[in-house]
Amino acid sequence: MPSKTLKTATAALALALGLLAAQPAQAADGTSDSNQAFTFAAIGDIPYGATEIAKFPSRIQDLNADKDLKFVAHVGDIKNGSSVCSDDYFSYIRTQFDTFTHPLVYTPGDNEWVDCHRTNNGAYNPLERLDKLREIFFNEPGKTLGATMPVKTQENLGLPEDVRFTKNRVAFSVLNVQGSNNSLLPWTGLGRTAPTPEQLAEVEHRTDAVIAQIHQTFADARRSNDRAVVLMQQADMFDPSLLASATADPGTVSGFRGIVQAIVDETNHLDAPVYLVNGDSHVFAENQPLAASSPWLDIYGSPAADNLQRITVDGASNAVDYVRFTVAGNSATGADVLSWEKVPFSG
């Protein structure tokens, strides 16, 4: 017959196991309530010009007031394309970013480094400006701006801005993909008529890193049976205003070709929807840019990817709202996982 001590220990163990069983399961990202829906927001190409710079603190407060947001993503362009890319301006925006009470995921846009060679931008070397952005905005790799949220980063490759994270079986991947043909246009403000060797080396390294992260994001999503993949970047690789020139000369978007191919390959090998959230073209759009009838298929020499859904956020003078995304509870799959709406700023 078991001793009294053994009976007591057994009862205590049973009680402990019962309590553990009653606890909510913990998600892979370290949070509980993994079966619950959540929301996040996306903005981009903001603030543009003196008037919007003055309004930017109140825009942030509007996002802070949306208490249900799990994080906010800024998909690049923290200034317009005709203003100076100064250290002081970057530091001012960092100060504003620090007022976010939600985690803030930021990926640089072309206006704050790629196009800084322009005379009215200060005639900077764009690669020096990229280094400065990393110094100011990514000084703590693996952590978001605003409230801290841990993220996986490509710091080991020199790209701390490329990050990944997962929430409620939805994989997020934030990528440094740029306008101006992914930074292949010549630095005319510095007197260049063709890309420089250092410019080409940066584009190659960054693009290789982006493609590697895309493949890793999808590999992990398949391994974890994730319900969707969300990619975020600045460049609009399917900008309607570029369609005519890209149709006439696909070389005008050649900097995106390898990235598009990686997204297509992975999308077509994932039994789940894929979402691409971008800025750059400034006008809200929601479409399937690589559906069977898309003219972009010929431009990129790509097969169709019907499961790819693109959402472009409003920007520049149209940046009067943010896009609030809702991720449905864990039982939702397919097209029901993600939904979105535009939310106007208060003023």
Side-chain angles (χ1 to χ4, degrees):
M1 179 178 293
S3 68
K4 182 177 180 181
T5 301
L6 181 57
K7 287 182 178 179
T8 302
T10 302
L13 178 59
L15 177 61
L17 290 173
L19 288 173
L20 286 172
Q23 297 299 315
Q26 192 170 52
D29 58 13
T31 61
S32 59
D33 301 325
S34 61
N35 290 326
Q36 293 188 5
F38 68 91
T39 62
F40 66 93
I43 57 175
D45 303 88
I46 182 174
Y48 266 43
T51 299
E52 286 303 314
I53 291 170
K55 291 180 180 179
F56 195 48
S58 68
R59 306 300 200 208
I60 294 173
Q61 292 310 309
D62 284 346
L63 287 157
N64 288 344
D66 195 339
K67 299 298 185 183
D68 292 334
L69 298 177
K70 293 301 182 185
F71 66 90
V72 176
H74 190 306
V75 292
D77 275 10
I78 54 175
K79 58 179 284 295
N80 63 25
S82 58
S83 56
V84 176
C85 303
S86 68
D87 291 4
D88 287 345
Y89 183 77
F90 292 168
S91 295
Y92 169 74
I93 295 297
R94 172 61 197 260
T95 299
Q96 293 304 311
F97 279 179
D98 286 342
T99 67
F100 273 92
T101 57
H102 303 299
L104 173 66
V105 180
Y106 161 62
T107 186
D110 50 311
N111 285 357
E112 53 260 39
W113 72 278
V114 173
D115 301 328
C116 293
H117 64 85
R118 296 171 180 169
T119 303
N120 58 7
N121 278 228
Y124 291 93
N125 181 309
L127 303 189
E128 183 275 333
R129 288 293 81 189
L130 178 56
D131 287 342
K132 180 58 67 172
L133 287 172
R134 288 170 174 157
E135 175 186 325
I136 291 176
F137 292 98
F138 304 98
N139 57 312
E140 293 188 83
K143 295 181 180 180
T144 54
L145 299 166
T148 297
M149 178 179 72
V151 292
K152 297 177 181 178
T153 175
Q154 287 191 320
E155 178 195 8
N156 63 317
L157 298 177
L159 284 83
E161 67 274 16
D162 284 353
V163 302
R164 299 186 292 129
F165 55 97
T166 302
K167 285 189 175 297
N168 195 5
R169 293 177 54 227
V170 174
F172 294 88
S173 193
V174 183
L175 308 162
N176 187 344
V177 183
Q178 295 301 313
S180 300
N181 195 20
N182 200 20
S183 190
L184 281 175
L185 295 187
W187 298 341
T188 55
L190 300 179
R192 305 294 186 178
T193 57
T196 69
E198 62 174 345
Q199 180 181 357
L200 292 173
E202 187 283 327
V203 172
E204 181 179 9
H205 176 66
R206 178 171 45 81
T207 302
D208 286 348
V210 163
I211 291 172
Q213 178 160 308
I214 290 170
H215 289 315
Q216 190 62 58
T217 298
F218 280 85
D220 289 351
R222 285 189 292 269
R223 187 179 305 111
S224 302
N225 194 29
D226 287 341
R227 300 179 296 151
V229 169
V230 180
L231 308 174
M232 297 181 171
Q233 64 183 49
Q234 159 66 193
D236 185 351
M237 302 183 298
F238 312 101
D239 185 345
S241 70
L242 299 179
L243 180 58
S245 60
T247 300
D249 178 12
T252 60
V253 292
S254 60
F256 304 128
R257 186 179 298 273
I259 296 167
V260 169
Q261 189 59 59
I263 293 173
V264 170
D265 288 347
E266 294 291 0
T267 297
N268 287 338
H269 287 89
L270 184 74
D271 188 21
V274 178
Y275 302 90
L276 174 63
V277 181
N278 64 261
D280 196 23
S281 51
H282 304 165
V283 179
F284 177 80
E286 45 185 347
N287 53 43
Q288 294 170 288
L290 294 173
S293 59
S294 172
W296 291 102
L297 298 178
D298 288 336
I299 292 169
Y300 285 117
S302 168
D306 292 329
N307 280 346
L308 178 66
Q309 172 76 48
R310 187 268 295 265
I311 302 97
T312 302
V313 302
D314 280 325
S317 60
N318 294 319
V320 295
D321 52 61
Y322 60 95
V323 181
R324 181 201 286 140
F325 293 85
T326 297
V327 177
N330 203 33
S331 61
T333 57
D336 295 331
V337 174
L338 208 68
S339 59
W340 53 91
E341 60 181 331
K342 295 202 293 183
V343 179
F345 290 122
S346 60

